[in-house]
Amino acid sequence: MSRGTDYQADYDDHDVISTGAKDEAAGVKAVMVSMQRAIEQMGPLRTAAALTRLNQRHGFDCPGCAWPEEHGGRKLAEFCENGAKAVAEEATKRVVTPEFFARHTIAELDAKPEYWLSQQGRLTHPMVLAPGDDHYRPISWDAAYRLIADELNALGSPDEALFYTSGRTSNEAAFLYQLLVRSYGTNNLPDCSNMCHESSGTALIESIGIGKGSVTVEDLTLADVILIAGQNPGTNHPRMLSILEKAKANGAKIIAVNPLPEAGLIRFKDPQKVNGVVGHGVPIADEFVQIRIGGDMALFAGLGRLLLEAEDNAPGTVVDREFIAAHCAGFDEYAAQTRAVDLDVVTDATGIDRAQLQRVADMLIASQRMVVCWAMGLTQQTHAVATIGEATNLLLMRGMIGKPGAGVCPVRGHSNVQGDRTMGIWEKMPEAFLSALDSRFGIVSPRKHGYDTVDAIRAMRDGRAKVFIGMGGNFVSATPDTEVTEAALRSCSLTVQISTKLNRSHLVHGRTALILPTLGRTDRDIIDGRKQQVSVEDSMSMVHLSRGSLHPPSDQLRSEVAIVCQLARTVLGPDHPVPWETFAADYDTVRDAIAAVVPGCTDYNKRVRRPDGFQLPHPPRDSREFPTTTGKANFAVNPLEWVEVPEGRLVLQTLRSHDQYNTTIYGLDDRYRGVKGGRRVVFVNPSDIERLGLRPDDRVDLISEFDGQERRAKDFLVVPYSTPAGNAAAYYPETNPLVPLDHTAKKSNTPVSKAVVIRLERREGGAR
Ligand SMILES: Nc1nc2c(c(=O)[nH]1)N[C@H]1C(S)=C(S)[C@@H](COP(=O)(O)OP(=O)(O)OC[C@H]3O[C@@H](n4cnc5c(=O)[nH]c(N)nc54)[C@H](O)[C@@H]3O)O[C@H]1N2
Ligand SMILES: Nc1nc2c(c(=O)[nH]1)N[C@H]1C(S)=C(S)[C@@H](COP(=O)(O)OP(=O)(O)OC[C@H]3O[C@@H](n4cnc5c(=O)[nH]c(N)nc54)[C@H](O)[C@@H]3O)O[C@H]1N2
Ligand SMILES: [Mo]
């Protein structure tokens, strides 16, 4: 049976073992692992060429996370273990050639685990899967563009096509891609952000008028309190740890809010420093708040109440009345609701005691400059938008936005996910952007909003969408409700994946399927003898250049810019007013167009060439202006919500191991959590293991329950772990079949990947 219908153990996982969690991140082991992976994949020469240019001023931007580089004196090794792995994955010498596809049928490949697919190497040639065929076969680029154009132009309406983007795409390619899509006639631009920080954008636009973080790296080093909620920086943003260490050296206190004692939050050993090589490293969190899944809104509301009470006891010491009077709306309503918060509800919802709540409140009260950082632990909840609004309230109350050392810091995932959004990858770009686009190019962009990721799946499922094009990413494995999504994609007439590496989305396909191989961040991109460069925006709105320098894996690869331009000309015809050929020949011309259309990008070509690039405007950060509907920063007032654990059930969060990049699996170990040799593990509190009549090392099925429906993921090893009672954790994407498509966050429509109600069913003969 293919893996597609039965998520049986992906590989022989029976050797997976748990050796106990570590409380420290990085250290010399991290350097060793990254070098070993790099040399395995790239060989010694390419390793040296790649790693010495990673995140350097004349090098390329790390294809790992969106954490910014430090300005000024960059270290020679401005990267981390997981950045090195991301580079090794892309710059690998292994290749997936036409011969590879001739050797393997689709069914054979689809039966392979995600890890195996990830390890096969770089795609080298455009390939087509004809209707009914069982092998991908080579196709010329021109024929591939023709095929797509014919399918698109035969649709009843442009809204029957979907154009997905993952967040590695450069600004130039993203700008042209949305221009193609809007010229063609739809706003169907779902992206990975819909599953990621959409809740942050939605909440921040309501509260402060712009959906981006308001701090810089420098602000973090100036802060006296940094609250980090729902984020695992030791694995997912390792370079953040050296900034946290610096902040601590400057006297900052760190509050970590997480159901799990993640290694990087507890201790950090900087491998580039002596005390990181010997010794135990630096303790990171001053206060570890082991919160129940989904309890964060209650935590922030409870803290709000304690802060207001402290203000009552010593008026003028906590609440920044001047800031609120000048810049905010809704404070009185917020204060009234917050004063009424029941602290017993707070301790219940969060699982923390009153003493700790008071300690954290005291740290906030003593703070003059506070930053709140967060990631998926907050965004992938039903009440994510309200939770982030509540965190923002704490900052607004204290006037802690738009001043040095203070503000909001949603820590982005993909290296250019923020830039893609700035460039127009959004199903509901504002009118000002669309009209600027129209007047620059003489086109008429559609105004009707398009589908986001969840709605795109629904549209395919219901036969309202028939062509799927993916600019990067691995749609079928990244999205929720795998069985539904697979059926949705299979019902398409055409699926197209513009990719660097082989993945599941090439194997779960429409009637006809195309793989278009593209250059990655590390590859050199030469057009008519001239070296091209692209640009990206990091999590803190810095825009800078990225120049690949490695020899690409095949001369058949095209850059994303080239693919979009040629596809656009074929789809839109010779008379279309956009100068696609000019854009493809010289990326400077794309940047000139960006400068004309995208707010804050004036003089783009010149400013992006400055040594560290330039920072995009952010009115709250720059001048305490809040471009919201009220023209003021809005206190968010929402009914208090948290996640309850139904009787006999667990609430499961789906998260990343230390050895993966989203759906790309680097290896089978999760070093900091002490897991070796497999991924089908479920972390459970020891008291739950006992309560549920299980034993450590039992094998269980995970069954999710939602709206009277059940979904099952088979054969996981039970690992006792420090997580609040009632809460469990297991890796994504193996658990995506459990995440219901219709279980999404209010307002942002983000799948709730961090609160899946499950029960555990012991497998026959399930004990080891
Ligand atoms: N090496 C590597 N780097 C990456 C990625 C990768 O896969 N590998 N992915 C990139 C991407 S796209 C993203 S979005 C980021 C993701 O970065 P993270 O958000 O750090 O990723 P997750 O592994 O989903 O971890 C979520 C964290 O939130 C905690 N958590 C879960 N539920 C709750 C809750 O209810 N409340 C609180 N307070 N905490 C909770 C979990 O215990 C975990 O520590 O990383 C980016 N960087
Ligand atoms: N259950 C659960 N589901 C989740 C999450 C979760 O925490 N839990 N997290 C969500 C989040 S935060 C995110 S961001 C999404 C990620 O969703 P995606 O971005 O769709 O997934 P990735 O695994 O990052 O995509 C990897 C593929 O991108 C292609 N690729 C890599 N680099 C490039 C490039 O430069 N150009 C092009 N064209 N292609 C490239 C490669 O072929 C590779 O196979 O998953 C979401 N899904
Ligand atoms: Mo993400």
Side-chain angles (χ1 to χ4, degrees), residues 463-687:
R464 284 177 285 120
K466 301 194 177 79
V467 173
F468 176 96
I469 300 182
M471 174 57 91
N474 182 4
F475 191 83
V476 76
S477 294
T479 50
D481 230 344
T482 312
E483 225 175 284
V484 176
T485 303
E486 288 195 354
L489 281 162
R490 290 190 198 283
S491 75
C492 286
S493 59
L494 174 68
T495 50
V496 181
Q497 306 292 346
I498 301 166
S499 314
T500 53
K501 306 261 318 236
L502 184 66
N503 66 43
R504 181 79 53 210
S505 300
H506 304 126
L507 311 173
V508 179
H509 54 80
R511 192 154 44 90
T512 303
L514 283 165
I515 299 177
L516 304 181
T518 187
L519 295 174
R521 214 49 85 62
T522 55
D523 296 316
R524 110 174 124 223
D525 181 2
I526 295 177
I527 295 187
D528 296 337
R530 288 179 52 206
K531 216 170 164 181
Q532 302 292 330
Q533 43 199 353
V534 294
S535 54
V536 292
E537 174 185 346
D538 67 30
S539 199
M540 293 175 180
S541 306
M542 289 298 303
V543 179
H544 60 89
L545 286 172
S546 175
R547 310 166 180 81
S549 53
L550 301 182
H551 193 67
S554 139
D555 62 5
Q556 277 299 304
L557 303 191
R558 300 289 177 267
S559 71
E560 292 177 337
V561 168
I563 294 172
V564 172
C565 290
Q566 293 194 31
L567 178 61
R569 184 55 81 201
T570 319
V571 173
L572 303 168
D575 300 329
H576 191 261
V578 173
W580 298 107
E581 291 75 15
T582 313
F583 286 156
D586 179 359
Y587 301 178
D588 273 350
T589 61
V590 185
R591 286 184 281 269
D592 285 338
I594 291 173
V597 172
V598 182
C601 291
T602 343
D603 250 348
Y604 197 90
N605 264 311
K606 192 165 143 216
R607 289 194 297 154
V608 83
R609 285 182 162 82
R610 289 182 190 155
D612 289 311
F614 68 97
Q615 190 169 37
L616 286 168
H618 188 290
R621 178 197 68 209
D622 302 336
S623 52
R624 292 192 152 184
E625 281 168 73
F626 299 92
T628 62
T629 44
T630 59
K632 302 229 165 185
N634 294 314
F635 279 88
V637 181
N638 295 291
L640 188 54
E641 280 182 70
W642 63 97
V643 172
E644 264 162 322
V645 187
E647 185 60 34
R649 306 294 183 267
L650 296 172
V651 171
L652 173 82
Q653 59 150 321
T654 62
L655 80 181
R656 293 155 173 80
S657 85
H658 192 62
D659 230 0
Q660 71 183 86
Y661 193 91
N662 297 339
T663 68
T664 299
I665 311 302
Y666 299 150
L668 301 179
D669 299 342
D670 191 2
R671 200 167 75 244
Y672 298 154
R673 301 196 187 101
V675 171
K676 279 208 172 108
R679 294 176 46 87
R680 295 186 88 88
V681 296
V682 56
F683 300 105
V684 186
N685 181 297
S687 72

Side-chain angles (χ1 to χ4, degrees), residues 22 24-27 29-31 33-34 37 80-83 85-86 232-239 241 262-264 268 655-662 664-675 678-679 683 731-732:
K22 314 277 174 292
E24 61 193 27
K29 177 85 180 169
V31 177
V33 172
S34 59
R37 286 294 163 73
C80 63
E81 173 190 351
N82 280 347
K85 287 185 199 161
N232 178 20
T235 286
N236 297 316
H237 308 91
R239 283 181 300 117
L241 296 184
E262 304 283 29
F268 171 51
L655 80 181
R656 293 155 173 80
S657 85
H658 192 62
D659 230 0
Q660 71 183 86
Y661 193 91
N662 297 339
T664 299
I665 311 302
Y666 299 150
L668 301 179
D669 299 342
D670 191 2
R671 200 167 75 244
Y672 298 154
R673 301 196 187 101
V675 171
R679 294 176 46 87
F683 300 105
Y731 303 129
Y732 130 79

Side-chain angles (χ1 to χ4, degrees), residues 8-296:
Q8 260 308 353
D10 256 357
Y11 26 81
D12 186 16
D13 215 351
H14 290 254
D15 296 331
V16 55
I17 57 165
S18 156
T19 59
K22 314 277 174 292
D23 72 353
E24 61 193 27
V28 174
K29 177 85 180 169
V31 177
M32 280 164 47
V33 172
S34 59
M35 290 320 277
Q36 184 194 331
R37 286 294 163 73
I39 290 171
E40 246 169 57
Q41 296 274 356
M42 302 186 280
L45 293 179
R46 238 169 125 79
T47 297
L51 297 186
T52 49
R53 289 186 181 84
L54 176 52
N55 287 338
Q56 299 298 318
R57 278 185 178 153
H58 296 286
F60 55 88
D61 183 62
C62 183
C65 71
W67 189 256
E69 285 76 48
E70 279 181 79
H71 295 173
R74 293 188 189 192
K75 290 179 264 185
L76 176 59
E78 179 66 37
F79 61 88
C80 63
E81 173 190 351
N82 280 347
K85 287 185 199 161
V87 169
E89 250 337 271
E90 180 177 297
T92 180
K93 289 211 257 187
R94 299 175 192 163
V95 282
V96 172
T97 58
E99 293 72 45
F100 172 94
F101 286 109
R103 266 198 314 276
H104 300 285
T105 64
I106 302 293
E108 243 174 83
L109 293 174
D110 192 27
K112 298 285 188 190
E114 210 75 57
Y115 175 49
W116 188 92
L117 297 177
S118 303
Q119 292 307 305
Q120 298 313 301
R122 286 286 297 275
L123 297 158
T124 61
H125 287 72
M127 305 294 295
V128 65
L129 181 68
D133 199 353
D134 60 355
H135 284 271
Y136 271 104
R137 306 188 192 274
I139 182 174
S140 72
W141 280 99
D142 284 346
Y145 297 136
R146 189 72 265 153
L147 197 162
I148 302 171
D150 289 347
E151 286 279 349
L152 287 176
N153 290 328
L155 290 176
S157 145
D159 291 333
E160 291 175 15
L162 305 166
F163 298 85
Y164 177 69
T165 314
S166 163
R168 279 203 193 171
T169 295
S170 67
N171 281 352
E172 290 73 6
F175 180 79
L176 295 173
Y177 188 55
Q178 62 83 34
L179 180 58
L180 154 65
V181 173
R182 296 195 160 104
S183 297
Y184 167 68
T186 181
N187 280 310
N188 287 345
L189 285 156
D191 70 344
C192 70
S193 191
N194 299 146
M195 298 178 272
C196 185
H197 268 292
E198 196 68 56
S199 305
S200 308
T202 308
L204 292 176
I205 287 172
E206 284 181 6
S207 292
I208 63 170
I210 172 167
K212 298 181 181 183
S214 75
V215 298
T216 60
V217 172
E218 290 68 36
D219 287 319
L220 278 165
T221 62
L222 294 174
D224 59 18
V225 166
I226 304 174
L227 189 148
I228 305 170
Q231 193 202 343
N232 178 20
T235 286
N236 297 316
H237 308 91
R239 283 181 300 117
M240 181 175 173
L241 296 184
S242 45
I243 299 301
L244 295 180
E245 190 187 5
K246 209 183 243 181
K248 285 203 70 127
N250 293 346
K253 296 266 183 277
I254 294 181
I255 305 166
V257 183
N258 204 302
L260 307 180
E262 304 283 29
L265 292 171
I266 307 300
R267 274 181 178 281
F268 171 51
K269 288 171 86 170
D270 186 343
Q272 294 171 342
K273 286 196 183 150
V274 175
N275 71 353
V277 176
V278 292
H280 291 293
V282 192
I284 294 286
D286 296 272
E287 192 69 57
F288 170 51
V289 180
Q290 189 160 27
I291 196 161
R292 289 196 174 130
I293 288 175
D296 304 82

